[in-house]
Each structure stands twice: as C-alpha cells, then as structure tokens.
Amino acid sequence: MIEWMQKHRKYLVITIWISSIAFIVAGGIGWGQFNLSTSLFGDTVIKVGNIKISSQEFEQAYNNTYQTYAQALGGNIDPDEAKKMGLDKMAKQLATQILINQALVRNFALDLGLRVEDSEVIDEITKTDAFQNNGHFDEAIYKATLKENNYRPVDFEKNIREMLLLQKMTNLFPDTITPLELDAVSSAFKLQDKIELSILDADTLQPKITDSELKAYWEKNKDKYKTPSQYEVQYRFVDASTQNVSPKEAQSYYNENKSLYINDKGELESFEKIKTKVQKDIQLHKALSVATKEYLDLKKSNATEISKTITEGSNQYPPEIMQELQKSKTGQTLKPLEYKNGYIILKLISKKEPEIKTFEQAKIQAILDFTQTKKMELLKLEAQNKLSSFKGKDIGFVNVNFKGKIQGLDEKEVSTLIKEIFINQKKSNFVIINNKAILYRIKEQNFNNPIKDNSTMVAMTTNLKTQYLQKVLIDYLRQKYTIQRYQD
C-alpha cells in the first residue's frame, strides 16, 4: 500500500484541489499530530504569489492527508509503526504540494477576475447536510460541530470561500470530449490478443543441493533463522461467565443502552429477543471492573503468582496480546486485555530475546527455503530456454477485462497474467506467478472487443482529459508565480 501511495502521489497532487467539508463535519481534523513553530516571517510558512499559507492551514492539510493515508492502510496505525513507514514525511510532502497547487490556482483565479460572494458562502454552508435539522439549516448545530473540531467559524468560512473559488476555476475546464479522444481511450479496451500459452511448475523440479551450498546459504541468510522470543509472565484471569446478573439488572442495562441493540435494518431489537446478549455484555462489563482491581493489585504485588512461559509464534495467545507483550518492559503490568470470555492481566517478569540459531538448529528449515530458491532459479532458466520454441495451448482471445478461466491457473493467477500481457510490449514472454512460469505468445491482435458500457468510457475519457489539463495548468502556474517556503 505504501508503494501504491508513493506511485500515485503525483495523481493525488493534481486532482486534490478542493478541500472537502467531509473532514470537518465527520470530526476528522485530528489536531495536534503535527506542529510548526512560528517562523521568522510570522505565521506564514509558504507564500505563493500573493497568497500566504499559515501554519494553522498547513497543520489542517497535514492532518487530513495523514488520516487519508492511515485509512488507506486500514485505520488505526500505531504511531511508532507509522513513523517507521515514513507516513509522517509522506503526509507532510503531499500536504505541502496540495497547498501550493491550491494557492497557484487561487492566484490565477483572482487574476482572471473570479470572486466568491458572501451569499455563495452562506448558500454552501446552509445546504450542507451535517448542519441540517429536520431539513432546515440549524445554526446551533453548525457552531457546535465546528467547536467539536476546534474550528472557528471565521476559519471555516474562509476555507469554504477558497473551495468555491477553486470550483469556479475547475468549472472553466471543458466538459466535453471529441470523438477522437473517446476513440483513443476506448481503443485500449477494444484491443484483444489471441494467446497460446504453456505452464511450467516449479514443483516438478528437483534441484541437487550440497552441504557446502546449504551452509553458504545459511551464512548469508542466518538472520532469518532465530529462536522465538520467550516471555515469563505472572497472570490473572477474570472469567466473565462467573459474574452474576439479575433480570432487573439486565432490563435496566437494556433500557439505558438501547443504541447498542439496533440491528442492520436500523430497528431496535426487543429485550426478550436479545436478553442473552445483554446479559453477556453486562458480565463483560463487570469482569472488566474486577480485572481493573486485579491489575492494580498485581502491579504493586511482590508475592509469588502463578507464572508461565509464553513463546512467540506458539499461538498461546492472540496476536493483539502478543503485540502488547512485545512492546512491554520487564516488570511492567499490562492493563486488562480481553481474552476468551473475560479479561487477562499479564505482568512481564522476564524476556528472552531471539537468538540466531546454529547451523544444525536451522538446517531443516534452511533446506526447505534453499530448495525453493533453487527451484525458482531453475524454473526461470527453463522458461528462458523454452520461450522461443515452446508449443502452447491456444486459449483464444483475451482482453484487458478478461474474466474467463484458464486451465492450470486460479482466478488471481489469471488476473495477474492478463495484466502482464497487456502491460508488456513483447509478442512472446513469460511471467513467474507463485510457483509457476507461464510462457505466452500473441498469435493475433485486433480491436474487435466490444465495449458494453460506452458511458463508462465517456466518463473515463473526460476524467483523463481533466487530469491532463490540470497538470498542464499547474506546470504553467509554477512558472508564473513565485513559491517561497519559510519552513522545511
């Protein structure tokens, strides 16, 4: 995913012109993740033409960009892991480029005489769904939403004005395409190749491995062969099923937490239907309360407790608990962690770090790994030798959106093969996919693949044209306006 984001950074910079209100109304600002000290030039961190970008504007753009990247990686990213991945640097670079691009376009828009009236700003805000109450704009909701996100109305309205100015500039781009432009984009999807292919399987190969080769392989890769970490811990477990819950308690809990029992259709489940779930929820809640007391007691206790050794990779505990142990220091007591039907409290007594295995200890796994490496080397060599003269199976015509089956390949392997065929310019080639080498030859090529949905082609062509025009404009404006950065 990181590679994808890096590869598509230019695309993002070109297309992300307009700051979305969604970040604000969804509570997505995330203030405080990045801070810029005031520069020698006051609060201005970047100046583009006549437009100054403040540290507050930069922080907002940075945090929005950071969150966008984090969401692309699945959401809750550990700060230390994010730093190792360089997520903060990537977000800073992209946020800077986005702000500069926006400022370039705003300079040009103002030079062209484009302006945004107060009435347009008011109209944009009052029609935003997040600020509505029974179909009407509610000023109290508006102010409360901004306050929750540490946003002053004057700053928000300034952003809306700038967004509308960028929209006006975007609207100047032509929204029509020529038949030639449509045909040029469609041709890539009309193209189809008649293919013959042959599949070689690495599992049929039996490489010979000498002891000296194996030892040399282990020497080169011995960091891969380590003993697992071991953790000596004291522990206590609180079983939720032992917690008593009275019928009255369950009914009261249900009445006070009805929002927790709404089904996928948005309907409230009746108490009778889900009282077992309500009881389990209360038991877990009580178990956590008990576990918290046990945590405080274990944390300060020097008494001999029940202890055990946990080995990394043994599946004794789920990954979430193992991750917490990895981050812990000797003597540290972990706060209650949900485990099975209850909570567990762990106190780390000692930790044995991984050690490189001896050759004899690593030999069995090293044989398996080295054999696989040798197989892939032999597979590639065999594919190269057979490429010019192989006799393959004719699978007929394929196109870039081919969804058919190919004997000997699963769905993902077919998708990868088709992608390689249409990216590569060679008439014949081979592709290594998993343990297979797939040799293919293009026997015939034409542009007769029918386009089923022409509206999609029109939308794609329009989008590509807009992206191209945006890039050309940005390149021109970078020459027209001076860009000064007061912060690295």
Side-chain angles (χ1 to χ4, degrees):
M1 184 60 71
I2 289 291
E3 288 80 3
W4 182 92
M5 292 189 294
Q6 290 172 332
K7 181 178 178 182
H8 292 77
R9 178 184 295 172
K10 290 184 179 179
Y11 169 80
L12 290 167
V13 171
I14 294 166
T15 56
I16 304 177
W17 278 12
I18 300 169
S19 300
S20 173
I21 303 176
F23 277 108
I24 300 160
V25 299
I29 299 302
W31 292 95
Q33 294 183 38
F34 189 87
N35 291 299
L36 283 174
S37 57
T38 305
S39 69
L40 295 173
F41 300 88
D43 191 44
T44 301
V45 293
I46 305 172
K47 184 179 180 185
V48 182
N50 294 320
I51 291 176
K52 297 177 180 179
I53 299 169
S54 69
S55 58
Q56 181 181 354
E57 290 174 296
F58 182 88
E59 183 181 0
Q60 177 195 339
Y62 169 84
N63 289 326
N64 288 352
T65 307
Y66 185 97
Q67 287 186 22
T68 300
Y69 274 157
Q71 288 301 316
L73 291 169
N76 297 323
I77 305 296
D78 180 76
D80 291 336
E81 186 64 26
K83 194 169 184 178
K84 289 179 184 177
M85 294 163 61
L87 203 62
D88 52 344
K89 292 180 180 179
M90 291 173 61
K92 180 181 178 182
Q93 290 171 0
L94 183 55
T96 300
Q97 291 180 63
I98 290 172
L99 287 170
I100 289 173
N101 284 2
Q102 289 177 337
L104 287 168
V105 177
R106 284 162 52 204
N107 271 291
F108 193 49
L110 293 172
D111 286 351
L112 291 177
L114 298 177
R115 297 293 185 274
V116 176
E117 301 296 331
D118 291 346
S119 58
E120 295 175 279
V121 176
I122 293 171
D123 182 61
E124 182 68 26
I125 293 173
T126 55
K127 72 181 183 183
T128 301
D129 290 341
F131 307 140
Q132 303 288 315
N133 183 10
N134 294 323
H136 299 285
F137 174 73
D138 189 317
E139 187 176 359
I141 293 176
Y142 169 64
K143 290 182 176 179
T145 302
L146 296 188
K147 186 177 181 180
E148 287 171 7
N149 289 279
N150 301 316
Y151 226 122
R152 296 186 305 166
V154 64
D155 295 325
F156 180 69
E157 288 155 18
K158 176 177 175 288
N159 276 10
I160 296 299
R161 187 180 298 277
E162 291 170 358
M163 180 192 75
L164 292 173
L165 183 63
L166 290 170
Q167 283 182 339
K168 288 189 176 188
M169 190 66 210
T170 303
N171 291 339
L172 294 179
F173 288 115
D175 58 359
T176 57
I177 55 175
T178 67
L180 181 61
E181 291 167 337
L182 177 60
D183 188 57
V185 174
S186 300
S187 63
F189 296 88
K190 292 178 180 178
L191 177 66
Q192 57 181 9
D193 296 335
K194 191 174 186 182
I195 303 294
E196 66 171 325
L197 58 82
S198 177
I199 302 174
L200 306 178
D201 197 323
D203 291 338
T204 63
L205 303 174
Q206 298 297 328
K208 294 180 180 180
I209 298 173
T210 65
D211 284 342
S212 59
E213 283 181 312
L214 181 62
K215 194 155 190 178
Y217 174 81
W218 169 77
E219 283 286 356
K220 186 177 180 180
N221 299 279
K222 59 184 177 182
D223 280 348
K224 289 169 50 179
Y225 304 103
K226 293 182 178 181
T227 59
S229 299
Q230 289 187 327
Y231 309 92
E232 184 187 353
V233 299
Q234 293 176 347
Y235 70 96
R236 296 182 186 179
F237 176 68
V238 179
D239 190 342
S241 64
T242 63
Q243 307 301 310
N244 295 321
V245 180
S246 68
K248 183 178 179 181
E249 227 179 335
Q251 182 67 63
S252 177
Y253 185 87
Y254 170 81
N255 292 339
E256 293 172 4
N257 298 277
K258 288 183 177 179
S259 61
L260 300 177
Y261 305 107
I262 296 174
N263 61 27
D264 294 338
K265 296 179 181 179
E267 303 167 341
L268 175 65
E269 298 280 15
S270 68
F271 175 71
E272 288 301 320
K273 186 176 180 180
I274 59 165
K275 61 182 179 182
T276 301
K277 183 180 185 310
V278 173
Q279 179 174 322
K280 286 184 177 180
D281 289 346
I282 298 172
Q283 286 179 319
L284 273 173
H285 184 72
K286 286 187 172 185
L288 178 59
S289 179
V290 174
T292 301
K293 294 176 182 177
E294 294 285 350
Y295 158 75
L296 295 172
D297 185 55
L298 183 59
K299 186 177 182 181
K300 63 185 179 182
S301 172
N302 292 317
T304 302
E305 301 281 337
I306 301 173
S307 64
K308 66 163 64 174
T309 299
I310 302 172
T311 303
E312 191 82 39
S314 63
N315 297 321
Q316 291 167 274
Y317 290 98
E320 296 78 14
I321 292 179
M322 296 306 297
Q323 287 170 11
E324 292 300 320
L325 276 174
Q326 289 169 5
K327 294 186 291 183
S328 301
K329 297 178 181 178
T330 300
Q332 182 178 344
T333 304
L334 303 184
K335 291 182 179 180
L337 297 165
E338 194 166 346
Y339 175 62
K340 293 186 176 179
N341 185 39
Y343 288 89
I344 191 166
I345 306 99
L346 298 168
K347 185 173 185 176
L348 184 59
I349 305 303
S350 64
K351 181 190 296 188
K352 186 177 181 181
E353 300 292 349
E355 297 175 351
I356 294 176
K357 292 181 179 180
T358 65
F359 175 66
E360 290 302 321
Q361 289 175 321
K363 190 172 183 178
I364 294 176
Q365 186 60 48
I367 288 173
L368 294 174
D369 293 344
F370 189 41
T371 299
Q372 182 63 22
T373 299
K374 293 284 284 184
K375 279 185 176 183
M376 297 310 293
E377 290 174 356
L378 291 174
L379 181 68
K380 185 176 180 180
L381 183 62
E382 185 179 1
Q384 290 171 335
N385 291 337
K386 290 185 175 181
L387 183 59
S388 61
S389 59
F390 80 92
K391 299 295 182 182
K393 180 180 179 181
D394 190 334
I395 64 168
F397 283 99
V398 299
N399 57 70
V400 71
N401 289 321
F402 180 77
K403 302 297 181 185
K405 294 182 178 181
I406 297 177
Q407 187 176 1
L409 302 178
D410 63 28
E411 188 177 331
K412 288 185 178 180
E413 290 170 339
V414 170
S415 177
T416 302
L417 172 63
I418 297 302
K419 181 180 178 181
E420 289 294 330
I421 288 173
F422 283 92
I423 287 177
N424 200 291
Q425 301 297 314
K426 295 181 180 180
K427 184 176 180 180
S428 62
N429 202 3
F430 69 88
V431 184
I432 303 292
I433 304 176
N434 297 328
N435 280 355
K436 301 167 187 173
I438 306 164
L439 291 74
Y440 68 86
R441 183 181 295 118
I442 299 174
K443 300 176 66 177
E444 187 182 334
Q445 192 175 70
N446 61 46
F447 290 89
N448 297 332
N449 180 47
I451 301 295
K452 296 179 181 179
D453 187 358
N454 195 58
S455 62
T456 300
M457 289 297 104
V458 170
M460 186 179 297
T461 305
T462 304
N463 188 41
L464 287 172
K465 184 175 182 179
T466 300
Q467 289 177 32
Y468 173 74
L469 291 174
Q470 287 178 353
K471 183 181 184 306
V472 170
L473 177 61
I474 291 294
D475 290 344
Y476 165 71
L477 296 180
R478 283 182 175 274
Q479 302 299 317
K480 182 177 175 65
Y481 299 106
T482 301
I483 301 172
Q484 295 173 286
R485 305 187 193 195
Y486 304 132
Q487 291 280 353
D488 293 328

